[in-house]
Amino acid sequence: MIETIGSRIAHLREQAGLSQADLAKRMHISRSSVQLWESGANYPSTDNLVSLAKIFRVSTDYLLDIDATKTVNLDSYSSHEQGIVFRLLQYFDETASAVYKETE
């Protein structure tokens, strides 16, 4: 399936547990603007694209499908919180590796 900016916005919004109205409220825009982006009928402005990236903690390159690698910006988190995220990622990496070895 080819991802569009609209489908990425919808996926990230749903992943964050936000409705279109919730996202619109956070961005100080109308719900119909979010709906138009997600349907592909319109595109977010540069300012709104940057806001979306900040809200979802992804890069604008990810939203624009320039780079399919999903990155998460942890700069706004404390060192302690970043450590928790890194430990979670390490846990998932180790779990996936163990499952892969079991299926060989």
Side-chain angles (χ1 to χ4, degrees), residues 7-85:
S7 65
R8 285 186 182 229
I9 292 169
H11 177 74
L12 290 166
R13 177 183 57 74
E14 291 166 0
Q15 212 174 26
L18 298 172
S19 67
Q20 289 180 343
D22 294 333
L23 179 58
K25 187 174 182 178
R26 283 183 75 172
M27 296 183 69
H28 307 288
I29 59 172
S30 68
R31 186 206 57 79
S32 62
S33 291
V34 175
Q35 190 277 326
L36 289 170
W37 298 340
E38 291 184 3
S39 70
N42 203 348
Y43 300 98
S45 68
T46 304
D47 289 342
N48 284 329
L49 189 68
V50 170
S51 293
L52 288 165
K54 287 179 180 178
I55 289 168
F56 297 128
R57 299 184 187 280
V58 298
S59 69
T60 54
D61 283 356
Y62 176 77
L63 288 170
L64 293 170
D65 200 19
I66 294 170
D67 183 0
T69 304
K70 188 174 182 181
T71 58
V72 178
N73 184 343
L74 301 177
D75 292 344
S76 63
Y77 292 103
S78 70
S79 294
H80 175 72
E81 293 166 329
Q82 289 178 16
I84 292 169
V85 171

Side-chain angles (χ1 to χ4, degrees), residues 87-101:
R87 285 191 297 279
L88 277 170
L89 291 172
Q90 183 178 14
Y91 168 80
F92 288 124
D93 287 344
E94 290 170 358
T95 301
S97 178
V99 169
Y100 177 75
K101 287 179 183 176

